[in-house]
Every structure is written in C-alpha cells, then in structure tokens.
Amino acid sequence: MKQSILSIVMMTFVLTAVSGQKYFTKTGHISFYSETKLEKFDAHNKSASIVYDSETGKLEAAALVKGFQFEKALMQEHFNENYMESNKYPKATFKGAIENFETIDLTKNGKYAVKVSGDLTMHGVTKKVMTDGQIVVNNGKVEATAEFNVVLADYKINIPSLVKDQIAKTVKIKITSALEMLKQ
Amino acid sequence: MKKWIVFVLVAAVAGFAGYKMYNKKHTDTATAKADVVMSPQELLSAYESDENAANAKYLDKLVEVEGIITSVNAPEKGSSLTMDSGNPMAAIICEFESQEVTKTLKQGDKVRVKGYCTGKLDDIVLSRCSVVATGQ
C-alpha cells in the first residue's frame, strides 16, 4: 500500500517535471546595428538571459544595458549616458510568448519558424513587439534566432538635432542564442 | 594677418582634439587600477540585499574579484567565464573581448579578474575583463 502511494507520488513528480520543461541561457547574444550615410555602429551584448517554457510557450528575456559593447568608447558613453540613461534604467526586458509553440517539438531535430510577440521594455517604456524567428534543433542542441527593428522614438530615446543625421531613427536588433534544457 | 594664423591654429587644435575624442579608446582594464577589490560572495550579497544601492555603488566601477571558474564559454565575439559565488543560481559572469582566456583557463581553475560592473540579471556581469592572476 505504502509503496503504491509512493509510486503514485513519484509518477506525478516525474510527469510534472517533464511537462513543464524549461529551456534557458545566460549567455544569449544580442546585437544591434544601425547605419546612416555618416556613421554606422553596432554593439554586442553577450550575457543576455532567456527562459523559454516549451509547455506554455512563454518566453522571457533580459539584458543589462551597460553590457552592450561598442567599438568606440565615446559611442558607448553616449549610448549609456544620453540615450539609454542606463544608470536610471539598467535593464531591458522582454516578456512574451512564442505564439505557435504547439507546432514546435524541441526534442526533435528540425527547423521551426516561430512567431514571437510580447512586451519589450527599455528606457522605462514598454511597447508591444512582434517578430518572426527561427529555432533549429540539432541532436539536442537548440539554437534560436530572431531579428526585428525598433524605432527609437517609440521608447522616448531622443536624438539631439545636432547629431540627428549620424544616428538612424530605427535600429535593427538581432538575437542569437543556444538554449539549454533546465535540469530539474 | 596674425589673427588669421591664430584662428587657423585654434581650429586645427580643436579639430584634432575632437578627432582624438571621437576615436577615444576604451580604458584598458589590464592597466587600470581596480576601484574596489572584493570576493564574489561580497559582491553577490550586496546585490541580493539591495540591488539599487549596489548599482549606485558598483555600476561602471572596475571591480576585482577572485574565485573558482564554473564554466568557460566562447560566444560569437569574445569569451566569458562564470565564477562561483556560493549560490549556484547567481554566478559572476566575466566577459572578455578576446578569446584568449578560453585557451588557457578551464573549469575548476582559480582566477583573479577585474572588469566593469554592468549590473545583475540572475548573475552579476563584469564587462571588458582582464585576468590579474591565475592559480593559487
């Protein structure tokens, strides 16, 4: 009797563990890129965190604004101090979901086109974003990529008129990341 | 005439200064003096007890920490290592701009690094790190 109760308890435990499978990374790569006739710049962040729940499709990501590295020190200073005000708003976050998560099986090899939507918060402003991405599963390795554009004015990031020709009004954001299964 | 020469000189100096500033290099963490030397545990507990206060104190500061490496990663650009902080859910991530460290360091090694504190997500991130010392 005791044994059967124990085994039922064990079973439930195992089942919940399997059904709520989470994937994550702490070393997600986010880069952004913008180009005008006068100036082009790109910056990289190597320590973004991403958590994905394959059961519900929920997807959350976060990055430290000061973690974006520019080639030019002055640009990085301006980015932090004038545009993103990273002392006041140190994090950029995304909370959303993969809409077509039911069509994705991360335990099977393949290329999956994904539709992601959710709230992107940066510089103290939250906006809905929507983008297409891709997940590639290869022998247990999960690689996710997505690319989308952000209009700076949407996030109240003001470009002084003096340099408005150097800085594009829209920047392209690219996310590439390997996701690991969370061991429970 | 003289005035004209002075004007050209001033313009040249200003232009040069502007150009130098535009191309200013990132501070080299290898040669810069650390603002604060502490243990990974101290840094983490500062962030866990009051994140805003810790940000005010440590953001953009050159922080030197010593600890055991829990993993070494080589992403698309540069490399990073995670350092044990006593809490398995919140390590110290040390980012490097080159991939050099991944060739010489491995999991379990003791290392002393300094880098700019960029804040905490789950982990605390130090950017543009350089290795101060390895081993005992």
Side-chain angles (χ1 to χ4, degrees), chain B:
Chain B
M1 182 60 187
K2 248 190 193 163
K3 254 189 198 162
W4 194 76
I5 291 171
V6 169
F7 175 76
V8 168
L9 271 175
V10 168
V13 168
F16 183 70
Y19 180 77
K20 283 285 272 192
M21 211 163 105
Y22 173 73
N23 279 303
K24 189 175 75 168
K25 292 269 187 303
H26 285 279
T27 312
D28 185 359
T29 54
T31 51
K33 194 178 174 298
D35 294 310
V36 50
V37 180
M38 61 202 306
S39 73
Q41 288 79 3
E42 284 170 328
L43 183 57
L44 180 65
S45 72
Y47 266 92
E48 282 179 337
S49 58
D50 187 342
E51 187 168 342
N52 288 332
N55 272 335
K57 215 165 160 186
Y58 299 118
L59 275 186
D60 289 329
K61 293 287 187 299
L62 191 54
V63 177
E64 186 174 314
V65 289
E66 183 180 69
I68 304 295
I69 297 172
T70 49
S71 72
V72 179
N73 315 293
E76 218 169 289
K77 273 196 160 190
S79 57
S80 69
L81 59 83
T82 55
M83 189 185 275
D84 185 29
S85 65
N87 177 350
M89 294 309 290
I92 313 286
I93 296 181
C94 308
E95 295 181 347
F96 297 84
E97 290 306 293
S98 81
Q99 300 209 315
E100 216 41 51
V101 292
T102 57
K103 291 170 194 154
T104 52
L105 295 173
K106 59 180 191 309
Q107 193 181 342
D109 286 356
K110 192 179 190 183
V111 71
R112 176 175 278 271
V113 303
K114 53 183 172 179
Y116 289 105
C117 181
T118 56
K120 179 177 184 290
L121 291 172
D122 294 322
D123 312 86
I124 294 167
V125 181
L126 302 181
S127 291
R128 296 192 172 268
C129 286
S130 58
V131 172
V132 180
T134 55
Q136 298 310 305

Side-chain angles (χ1 to χ4, degrees), chain A residues 56-71:
Chain A
T56 60
K58 258 177 77 176
L59 183 70
E60 287 191 15
L64 292 166
V65 176
K66 281 184 191 290
F68 281 95
Q69 301 299 324
F70 290 68
E71 201 184 317

Side-chain angles (χ1 to χ4, degrees), chain A residues 34-40 164-169:
Chain A
S34 114
E35 189 173 8
T36 62
K37 274 180 196 146
L38 294 169
E39 187 96 82
K40 82 168 201 193
K164 73 175 189 318
D165 293 333
Q166 268 123 295
I167 296 170
K169 289 171 184 61

